[in-house]
Amino acid sequence: MTVPSILITPAAGHADAPLVVLGPSLGTSTILWEDVIPALAAQFRVVAWDLPGHGASPAASESFTVEELADAVADAVGEPFLYAGVSLGGAVGLCLALRHPAQVRRAAVVASGAKLGEPEGWLERAAQVRAQSTSSLIIPSAQRWFAPDSIARRPELSGRLLHALQGADDESYALCCEALAAYDVRGSLGEIRMPVLAVWGQYDGVAPEAKSAEIASGVTDGSIAEIADAAHLPPAEQPEAVAATLLQFFWEAR
């Protein structure tokens, strides 16, 4: 295992404002957050990061854990920050809260959980991608990612997100799947002391309300919020609602 390399976008917003770091879902890129960033940047300094082999981040060739992804984010940022991440990016947020509590001021965990799926499912997906590439995931990912009307409502952005999945490095994607197969912080939630907001999409079958409720009840200072008419990628599906939810949560830390 090793700490992977990731890249972070240039900061948007005021140079002297508190920093917000945004994390991606597996198979996406910083595109996921592009319609939320302007609203956050009006009050904060905002950066986003890409998973290994996704977007601008270099491909990975060695195994890593979700905890090591969290270490990579903390090292790359290098200062205190507020955090929001989706799915795998949300799992990284919980690991950041556990491993870097002096650096993470608040964490919003979006469409995620303290455990996601079953190990065998992630290992099967890793094998599929190595054999057939991420192109084989386009249809099932579209079905998981988007609420019934999301693609019709935002066809251009939905298409770009699916293209980002197709463009992800196959081995890096598979290694992310293997990291998720080993991920389970349910027994450690009580160690998280900073405020945590667990957010779910109304139609999310991957990380439904029960996942958010488990997080909020397990940490010391947890709360929950639903994003209506969204599934597994709320920042892309309902950017205004996500921005408003995060602004309210982060504003209390200013």
Side-chain angles (χ1 to χ4, degrees), residues 11-20 40-47 79-82 105 251 253-254:
H14 303 285
D16 59 348
L19 180 63
V20 170
L40 296 181
Q43 303 292 338
F44 298 94
R45 183 166 39 107
V46 186
V47 300
E79 62 177 283
F81 57 90
L82 303 157
R105 301 171 62 198
W251 184 257
R254 283 182 62 90

Side-chain angles (χ1 to χ4, degrees), residues 42-88:
Q43 303 292 338
F44 298 94
R45 183 166 39 107
V46 186
V47 300
W49 62 276
D50 278 322
L51 290 161
H54 293 60
S57 288
S61 59
E62 298 181 69
S63 297
F64 53 83
T65 64
V66 177
E67 288 81 1
E68 286 167 335
L69 275 174
D71 294 345
V73 172
D75 291 346
V77 174
E79 62 177 283
F81 57 90
L82 303 157
Y83 184 82
V86 180
S87 194
L88 175 51

